[in-house]
């Protein structure tokens, strides 16, 4: 195993629980865009969510940790959404969802990773709105990803 | 990729958070029936939940999106419940759980899909009760599934 | 299928929702120890949580239900955290996290099981604190595992 750091602190922000929604994504709709449309309509700024259902096809991705780019995994077949959850925050001022999923075919074989998009067959969304500090994703040099800028929690006015 | 709809609205209903339970499912009990028994005893009508644990055997399924029928996947061996979550609503007036799971064997190989049933080895259930509109599942023509009838959210009295 | 019990009761305890945290685990930090450090610092005693992100390497395990010991699965490569959730309770008076995960490689191939440890590439933690009865894990003879002692819920002062 490579060397790891154990003494580092975890950056965090504290939230109040806002509205909780159960939603039904439309048959044949675009998975990610439907979630974005929903949170925009309801003016949800921050959230955590999960999805149970099935898709007609999907595009997943795995992030190449050396090249700092996503490798796409295209799946042109019907799949169960065996697990799917993520969060909503902001990127460049716009709602941005970060979703990972495990999909399964008719033999129970699984495909998993970062969810880029999918076509909904049937999907039930459980979404918990979070009220508090607006989280913006910013470019992070070591990973090449857009990560949360949580800052030092000594200055987080919401902490206990 | 097939044509997809991006402009459709997402049907939703808003809930208040009710009781939160941590539960231990009994060794050798029937996975799905135990959850049903629990929610009936506690008079929980709507909920979202997750399970961490292991099963002695399991029956999963993948929905055939063309034939509109479930294909069973029988797994007669010990498996970790690597991911498992779902929701509780009503079907024909009775409590109905919709559960998807990812199971893993001793090599870390995974099997996933719609959870039909399993025999519990050890399982910890996290269950969040939801208070609000009773959700009934109704037959949905395009998918052949029993889906939530959420209706137009303009008439949802719980929305903000 | 082996014989299963359907009449047994489910042990449970009821909790109030405490603080909700969104956290960013540090690049190169030890996954499990970072979560433990965080809950100790914030004095969280009980919680449920999920993680979205990626790891540089990971050690999973599958519990051998006959031998009553964990079989390790060592994964020395970058992996997406496709699904990861668990709970925090106490074991011998110390914070103890029980975490299961589904990890995915660059082809979308999955590895899943009980999370022993991992090296964080980037990870977002969603953590819901639970307020109520302190849950202690105790040795359970039939499984050989440390499970929750929830007791008869007739004596649980938090039930409705």
């Amino acid at each position: 195993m490579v060397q790891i750091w154990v003494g580092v602190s975890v950056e965090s922000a504290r939230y109040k629980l806002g509205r909780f929604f159960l939603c039904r994504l439309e048959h044949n709709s675009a998975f990610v865009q439907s979630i974005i449309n929903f949170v925009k309509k309801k003016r949800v700024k921050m959230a955590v969510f999960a999805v149970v259902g099935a898709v007609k096809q999907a595009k997943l991705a795995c992030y190449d940790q050396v090249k700092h780019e996503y490798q796409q995994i295209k799946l042109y077949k019907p799949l169960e959404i065996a697990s799917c959850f993520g969060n909503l925050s902001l990127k460049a001022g716009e709602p941005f969802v970060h979703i990972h999923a495990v999909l399964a075919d008719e033999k129970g074989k699984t495909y998993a990773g970062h969810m880029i998009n999918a076509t909904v067959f049937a999907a039930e969304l459980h979404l918990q709105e979070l009220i508090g500090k607006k989280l913006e994703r910013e470019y992070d040099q070591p990973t090449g990803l857009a990560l949360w800028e949580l800052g030092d929690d000594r200055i987080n006015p919401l902490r206990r």
Side-chain angles (χ1 to χ4, degrees), chain A:
Chain A
M1 307 281 269
V2 300
Q3 175 122 30
I4 53 174
W5 305 352
V6 296
V8 295
S9 67
V10 171
E11 293 184 11
S12 69
R14 190 179 156 196
Y15 289 86
K16 287 187 182 169
L17 301 178
R19 295 167 287 172
F20 189 96
F21 294 101
L22 291 179
C23 309
R24 173 177 163 175
L25 304 186
E26 283 301 304
H27 185 60
N28 284 333
S29 66
F31 186 88
V32 172
Q33 194 58 47
S34 286
I35 298 174
I36 295 279
N37 286 353
F38 176 71
V39 298
K40 279 188 175 171
K41 185 180 167 194
K42 296 293 182 184
R43 295 190 174 80
V44 178
K45 301 300 181 198
M46 297 284 313
V48 290
F49 55 85
V51 185
V52 180
V55 295
K56 288 178 152 189
Q57 60 185 351
K59 205 184 286 179
L60 300 178
C62 181
Y63 189 71
D64 187 315
Q65 297 178 11
V66 176
K67 291 184 185 166
H68 285 191
E69 61 188 28
Y70 280 104
Q71 304 294 323
Q72 290 199 3
I73 302 159
K74 293 174 187 173
L75 303 160
Y76 297 119
K77 62 176 175 179
L79 296 155
E80 296 285 315
I81 303 169
S83 171
C84 180
F85 66 92
N87 55 56
L88 166 72
S89 57
L90 296 167
K91 190 173 162 185
E94 287 296 310
F96 179 86
V97 288
H98 183 199
I99 312 176
H100 282 199
V102 183
L103 307 174
D105 70 14
E106 77 283 358
K107 290 189 167 47
K109 185 184 172 184
T110 57
Y111 308 85
H114 182 88
M115 165 71 84
I116 294 183
N117 219 334
T119 305
V120 172
F121 180 75
E124 292 161 6
L125 170 68
H126 313 161
L127 186 138
Q128 174 65 62
E129 182 186 34
L130 301 175
I131 310 286
K133 182 182 182 178
K134 272 190 195 176
L135 271 191
E136 275 279 353
R137 291 182 178 275
E138 306 280 356
Y139 178 74
D140 175 67
Q141 178 83 39
T143 61
L145 293 167
L147 300 181
W148 291 334
E149 274 304 316
L150 283 156
D152 187 325
D153 69 1
R154 280 175 298 183
I155 59 164
N156 174 2
L158 290 170
R159 81 191 174 103
R160 183 148 83 179

